[in-house]
Amino acid sequence: MEVIQIIFVVETNKITKSDDRYVSKLISQLYDLSKNDVQFQYVHMGTKYRYNKPSVLKEIKEYIQQNKNGINHVVYCFDTDRIDNDQVQVEALKKYENFCIQNGFYFVWFCYDIETVFLGHSVPDNEKEKESRDFFRKKFELEKSLKLRLSKNKDDIKSNRSSNILTVLSELYNFTKEL
């Protein structure tokens, strides 16, 4: 049986791993992974501006090489920051999306950031790890309103507290028939 590997490339660093916790908690809520041969890996950019740095791309390639006989999906996750009033952020996000398209990677966005989507508010950098740990420990139920906010399409307006992560995960589910 082929192993399905989903590699999330996230903005957080290897020490904090805050983004990992939000994504992992969401996945555990949505899918019964006990019956599936699915692996989840995380590549930590440290900052979104390192998305195409050799060290990031090398780590992605290493995970793919380790699963060379399986199915590999690479999912880049980006915060939009203040996309609603900053043209520089609009252009940057488009650049990240084009990079993903050119490389056959999935493109996930969180407006304004992953914490705003899952917690309802931004978190100072020095509190991200603590907040993500608290979130990970708490009972999490995917309420209908959150599910709608996480199910945006790529062309939808990137409004506060929204994301397309469920849309992308649904594409992976439909594509692999395994999740």
Side-chain angles (χ1 to χ4, degrees):
M1 178 179 205
E2 292 182 324
V3 173
I4 298 168
Q5 177 173 243
I6 300 175
I7 303 164
F8 289 96
V9 185
V10 294
E11 288 188 25
T12 192
N13 62 50
K14 292 178 182 181
I15 296 168
T16 305
K17 297 183 179 181
S18 56
D19 295 0
D20 308 23
R21 292 183 190 95
Y22 296 106
V23 173
S24 295
K25 191 77 165 189
L26 177 65
I27 289 169
S28 70
Q29 183 73 195
L30 294 171
Y31 304 111
D32 177 7
L33 299 174
S34 65
K35 301 177 188 173
N36 298 306
D37 201 7
V38 180
Q39 295 177 349
F40 294 94
Q41 308 292 352
Y42 292 89
V43 172
H44 304 93
M45 294 184 281
T47 173
K48 71 173 93 186
Y49 306 111
R50 296 187 68 239
Y51 72 98
N52 62 353
K53 294 296 182 201
S55 59
V56 171
L57 299 174
K58 180 183 178 199
E59 193 171 348
I60 293 168
K61 287 179 185 174
E62 288 172 356
Y63 279 128
I64 291 171
Q65 184 61 29
Q66 291 170 12
N67 189 41
K68 64 183 172 187
N69 296 323
I71 298 170
N72 296 286
H73 301 289
V74 177
V75 180
Y76 265 80
C77 300
F78 292 97
D79 293 342
T80 67
D81 295 333
R82 298 306 298 197
I83 193 170
D84 54 352
N85 60 9
D86 186 342
Q87 189 59 33
V88 172
Q89 292 300 327
V90 171
E91 292 169 13
L93 200 64
K94 191 65 180 164
K95 180 172 68 173
Y96 307 145
E97 183 177 17
N98 287 335
F99 170 81
C100 290
I101 291 168
Q102 291 170 356
N103 288 284
F105 301 152
Y106 291 87
F107 174 71
V108 167
W109 50 267
F110 296 99
C111 189
Y112 299 115
D113 53 42
I114 196 166
E115 292 84 9
T116 300
V117 171
F118 284 97
L119 302 176
H121 57 86
S122 287
V123 174
D125 287 347
N126 64 342
E127 296 177 24
K128 287 184 184 265
E129 183 176 10
K130 179 196 174 305
E131 288 286 336
S132 69
R133 285 184 187 279
D134 290 348
F135 174 82
F136 193 75
R137 285 187 204 114
K138 291 180 184 174
K139 183 172 169 62
F140 171 70
E141 291 195 31
L142 189 60
E143 299 169 355
K144 186 176 181 179
S145 62
L146 179 57
K147 193 171 187 176
L148 288 172
R149 287 197 326 267
L150 297 178
S151 299
K152 300 297 180 182
N153 292 310
K154 70 176 189 163
D155 296 324
D156 285 345
I157 294 173
K158 292 162 183 65
S159 61
N160 189 12
R161 299 177 61 201
S162 65
S163 176
N164 68 334
I165 190 165
L166 288 182
T167 303
V168 170
L169 289 174
S170 293
E171 286 179 37
L172 292 173
Y173 174 74
N174 290 332
F175 180 77
T176 63
K177 304 283 191 223
E178 292 287 331
L179 286 175

